[in-house]
Amino acid sequence: MLTTTLSFANLHNHGELFANMLRARRELFIVHNKWDLPEALGMEYDQYDTPASRWVVVHDDQGRVLAGNRLTPTTAKCGIYSYMIRDAQRGLLDTIPANLLTDEAPVGDHIWESSRLFVAHDVPAAIRRRVHAQLIQQLGETVRSLGATHCLTLLAATWPRWADRVGVKMRAMGPVMDIDAIDNQVVEMDFSLTKH
């Protein structure tokens, strides 16, 4: 099992991995979960897949994507958009409730957003937990390498059951909300004390 952090600066070094990650996102979010999201060429994408973002991908040595996520700086700006959670709070995204945070969405160099976090639905149960832990570990390493300490993310509200297993301190940043028949909640992940 391998883990790679992709950026627009290094995509050319990793062959089809970026495209495979977008294909895996489409397979899970559009085909399996039936979410109404943009797609082209068999890949899912949105307005936050820009050079400002990074993508953490867990994969095998053949480039098969097992898990992934996108990291976007909370300081990002592109037209009317910043980052997904903040834009939802500002009423710019009709698929995510605007009351997802208790306080105003943070903006700062020390905090990035983690979005589109997934483990492929066909990852066998026997390795699923290990794949998820590897994803979160690399996410923390990447965040710290970018000079940040925290990530804000919208997760299934089951996060308290697995937070300790992946060794990351987490805290709720908003209410539990039903989105597409799944209880979700914005959570802050604190990587400031995790091991390098």
Side-chain angles (χ1 to χ4, degrees):
M1 190 178 331
L2 305 168
T3 310
T4 302
T5 299
L6 297 170
S7 71
F8 270 52
N10 73 5
L11 291 179
H12 64 285
N13 295 325
H14 299 283
E16 286 282 303
L17 188 58
F18 184 71
N20 288 344
M21 185 264 311
L22 294 177
R23 290 179 186 113
R25 280 178 24 182
R26 179 189 177 274
E27 179 63 28
L28 179 65
F29 298 131
I30 295 175
V31 175
H32 189 263
N33 291 356
K34 305 207 180 317
W35 292 359
D36 182 18
L37 298 171
E39 64 176 302
L41 303 173
M43 298 177 233
E44 183 269 320
Y45 69 96
D46 66 21
Q47 64 270 34
Y48 306 105
D49 291 306
T50 73
S53 293
R54 305 293 186 275
W55 298 265
V56 175
V57 185
V58 180
H59 56 97
D60 65 18
D61 58 2
Q62 304 299 309
R64 179 176 169 258
V65 173
L66 306 173
N69 90 301
R70 175 182 57 217
L71 291 168
T72 303
T74 59
T75 56
K77 291 180 188 171
C78 184
I80 63 170
Y81 298 106
S82 57
Y83 66 95
M84 192 178 69
I85 291 170
R86 183 169 183 252
D87 291 347
Q89 186 180 56
R90 295 166 57 215
L92 298 177
L93 305 177
D94 59 3
T95 55
I96 302 173
N99 64 339
L100 75 171
L101 288 168
T102 306
D103 298 312
E104 189 173 335
V107 174
D109 293 331
H110 72 289
I111 187 164
W112 282 54
E113 177 189 54
S114 168
S115 58
R116 290 295 196 263
L117 192 143
F118 72 94
V119 175
H121 71 91
D122 60 350
V123 169
I127 65 165
R128 199 169 186 81
R129 210 180 256 187
R130 193 172 59 134
V131 168
H132 188 247
Q134 183 115 357
L135 176 65
I136 300 297
Q137 178 185 349
Q138 184 63 38
L139 192 154
E141 290 177 18
T142 300
V143 164
R144 286 191 307 273
S145 76
L146 295 164
T149 55
H150 293 75
C151 265
L152 202 60
T153 189
L154 179 61
L155 293 174
T158 58
W159 63 269
R161 291 198 314 240
W162 56 261
D164 287 340
R165 284 198 304 253
V166 296
V168 178
K169 185 177 173 184
M170 297 182 174
R171 69 181 180 103
M173 299 291 288
V176 174
M177 302 167 302
D178 181 309
I179 302 174
D180 289 331
I182 298 170
D183 284 341
N184 287 273
Q185 189 171 35
V186 176
V187 174
E188 180 187 69
M189 294 186 280
D190 182 350
F191 294 108
S192 62
L193 300 176
T194 54
K195 294 178 183 174
H196 295 261

